[in-house]
Amino acid sequence: MTDRKAVLRYLAENAERPLKPREIAKALKVAPAEYGGLRRMLRQLERDGEIYRVRKGRYAVPGRINLTVGRLQVTRAGHGFVIPDSGGDDLFVRASNLDNAYDGDHVAARVERRPRGRNPEGSIVKVLQRARTHVVGVLHSSRRYTYLVPREGSLHRDVLVPVDAKGGARDGDVVVATVTDWGSEHLDPAGEVIEVLGRVGDPGVDILAIVHSHELPAEFPPTVLADADEIRSRATGGVELEGRADFRESLTFTIDPADAKDHDDAISIQRLKKDLWRVGVHIADVSHFVDERSAIDAEAFRRGTSVYLVDRVLPMLPEALSGDLCSLKPGMDRLTLSVQFELNSGGDVLKTDVSAGVIRSRYALSYEEAQAIVDGTVTPDGELKRALCQLRDLASSLRERRQARGSLDFDLPEARVVVNAAGEPTHVHRLMRLETHQLIEEFMILANESVARMAIKQSLPFIFRVHEPPDPERLDRLRELVSRLDLRLPGTDDPSPRALQRLLAQVDGRPEEAIVSSLVLRSMKQARYSAELNQHFGLASHAYAHFTSPIRRYPDLAVHRILRRTILEGRAVPEAWSERLASVALQSSVRERQAVEAERESVELKKMEYMERHLGDVFEGTVSGATPFGLFVLLDDLLVEGLIHVSQLQDDYYHFLDEKYALVGEVRKRSYRLGDRVNVQVLSVDREAQKLDLGLAPEGVS
């Protein structure tokens, strides 16, 4: 039977026009008995968006008929960008050309214009796959009709709900509705209420709404839980050591956040001679326990990643595995895939080995505990302190080498929200970036790069972590913004991470550092997974993969299976695995974006709830944006952004000067621009819309 690759290759490279199925069968010499299978394959390729059916039932690959296939992202302004599956420039779609496509949908879009120096523009012609089947929002009823107002960031149109489809919900309830009709350009979608989550403001309803809005799987199927328990019970008799390197006598430990529920990476160090060390990066061997044909694996693929919400974790694997059997707990024998590096004090890696191993971690340290040991504020086992200090020094050398090639480090401030048992935020504080964070980060990057290089050297089918360079128009916008801060980003048609690195160096330690780092980050594309090799722009790396977190990321688990089968067992990768890698990469990228967005929403929601208790209070902050309608201000420590509407600037008539990116007073000439420090007062909070209204604090109030 002709395979998918052959069909796609022929349509992309040899077909002179769109072809009917019979014409494709004739060109590829498909036997009559296999023609039905070819028709089914073509329909599946169409559903996957890899080919497109035009008039009279003819098929073509999207690129040959000026179509872009990809994931749709809708901005708050209502416009959209199609992120192509195959990489390349994002396609801009005006709100009027979205038809009935919504954020996250997998779509086919026609390219209609290619403005010079800007993203190509187009319109949606077909929705290939919906990102969601349900929508979450607040139900509003009147005598004439009922409608659901979707949550912020969900659908950008209200959903009509027939009176007999309310499911017992009342006006003001937060509900989940299934979409029964997606509507059209001129007609709103329609739906049916299937679950009532509670009233607005009820404890826990806000986070439940986020879970349902992103269609995050909260509960595991009973069969998956039962299978995980059975695997754990089978393993209680002891670990299987045959064919494994025994690292149990080595000083090995984990360093994780203080509230970590699982430990999938451990580290060890051994001095070989005066200027030579062996560092081991030991990663939980999930692939030993989870078969690729199992129900557990199917559920892990569906989830794609663990999701870390502000008050709960939705793990990729059941607790029996993620928090127990696969977690590298201290004092327990645990199976690993381990990468051993021999390196000197200058960060030169002289030798790299991969092996299946078994470890027994001695310590489970938090980043803060490890830092206290390095700083000498606590006195631990002397061997542990020497190990941590030597790892810190080696990591520093690795970091210097990585930065020398142009790799970017975003030292963006991050806030942690502490909630009580009822889910109420009790405290918000800035997380400190410690040396021990950098220590672990450097060795994880080293391990990830090393396995990617191994895969390339052996020409293995693989899943890479890729990060394309930013679009020139985004860099132009960044260049324009930072110029108003008297900063310089050199103009170039071939952007390099080194240029952005030099820009970040200009604001190192300055008040506007966080603002500029955020602007740089926003100018860049999202990293994603791909079965095709491409660069990782942000790390200035020619090859990168994710290997170090198989408990919580599905691509890492897939990479482990490939490395185990090829490098450790000397066998070829099954053809079925190779064919599946593209879908694994796409599914993992989609689920990752959903998880990141849900995590961000949960944190911002709780920040807003926290700010509701501080109406009238004064905070210090930095101007993070200037517009004709006001100033955006990022509050210190809390890292909450709010708006000072121009109407609140009552000491003058203020006008927006685009060339200065500032609001300037007409009479007194007082100006507010990006990076300025201000004291602000909290005026109002809209938790659901995640909007914070601020005013300038009265003189003398702080």
Side-chain angles (χ1 to χ4, degrees), residues 180-391:
T180 57
D181 185 341
W182 289 97
S184 64
E185 181 181 352
H186 305 292
L187 185 65
D188 284 337
E192 177 182 352
V193 174
I194 59 172
E195 186 175 353
V196 178
L197 301 181
R199 306 291 290 176
V200 174
D202 284 354
V205 169
D206 49 3
I207 301 298
L208 271 179
I210 291 175
V211 171
H212 283 275
S213 180
H214 291 276
E215 298 189 359
L216 302 175
E219 303 296 332
F220 284 96
T223 54
V224 171
L225 294 174
D227 288 352
D229 287 336
E230 182 183 350
I231 292 171
R232 177 170 58 180
S233 65
R234 288 203 308 263
T236 55
V239 298
E240 301 173 27
L241 299 180
E242 185 177 353
R244 291 185 176 271
D246 193 341
F247 301 115
R248 288 177 292 181
E249 296 304 316
S250 301
L251 173 59
T252 307
F253 46 88
T254 60
I255 306 177
D256 290 292
D259 58 353
K261 300 296 190 295
D262 55 63
H263 309 278
D264 52 9
D265 58 86
I267 197 162
S268 64
I269 183 169
Q270 175 188 2
R271 186 170 184 171
L272 300 179
K273 54 185 180 181
K274 184 178 180 181
D275 188 28
L276 187 65
W277 286 265
R278 178 182 291 126
V279 175
V281 176
H282 309 279
I283 308 301
D285 189 1
V286 178
S287 64
H288 176 81
F289 300 104
V290 179
D291 187 88
E292 71 273 9
R293 296 157 295 188
S294 66
I296 296 175
D297 184 73
E299 180 66 13
F301 172 76
R302 183 171 79 94
R303 292 173 177 241
T305 180
S306 296
V307 186
Y308 297 86
L309 303 176
V310 73
D311 66 342
R312 70 196 74 182
V313 177
L314 306 177
M316 184 181 80
L317 297 171
E319 171 67 18
L321 300 178
S322 63
D324 190 0
L325 186 59
C326 296
S327 186
L328 307 182
K329 295 181 174 182
M332 306 289 289
D333 291 352
R334 289 292 184 257
L335 304 185
T336 63
L337 286 188
S338 300
V339 186
Q340 300 270 103
F341 301 101
E342 291 186 11
L343 68 168
N344 60 26
S345 57
D348 297 301
V349 178
L350 307 179
K351 186 179 180 182
T352 304
D353 288 313
V354 177
S355 60
V358 57
I359 69 165
R360 185 181 297 152
S361 174
R362 293 194 202 173
Y363 305 97
L365 303 173
S366 69
Y367 287 110
E368 292 77 13
E369 289 170 338
Q371 190 65 49
I373 294 171
V374 170
D375 294 340
T377 56
V378 299
T379 306
D381 175 297
E383 186 183 12
L384 176 60
K385 179 171 183 177
R386 287 192 297 273
L388 282 168
C389 289
Q390 187 58 63
L391 284 168

Side-chain angles (χ1 to χ4, degrees), residues 64-81:
R64 297 289 299 275
I65 52 175
N66 212 29
L67 292 183
T68 293
V69 172
R71 197 67 53 178
L72 177 66
Q73 290 184 348
V74 179
T75 68
R76 286 193 174 187
H79 303 300
F81 286 92

Side-chain angles (χ1 to χ4, degrees), residues 4 32 43 152 217 236 251 253 298 303 312 318 330 345 436 440 443 485 518 540 557 585 591 651 667 678 680 684:
R4 293 166 62 103
R43 288 194 292 269
E152 185 82 11
T236 55
L251 173 59
F253 46 88
R303 292 173 177 241
R312 70 196 74 182
S345 57
T436 47
I440 293 299
F443 285 106
L485 290 171
S518 180
L557 177 55
R591 298 305 292 179
D651 63 330
V667 179
V678 290
V680 296
S684 66

Side-chain angles (χ1 to χ4, degrees), residues 484-501:
R484 295 161 185 176
L485 290 171
D486 300 322
L487 300 172
R488 184 172 178 271
L489 175 64
T492 173
D493 293 330
D494 185 20
S496 71
R498 194 179 303 279
L500 294 174
Q501 184 191 69

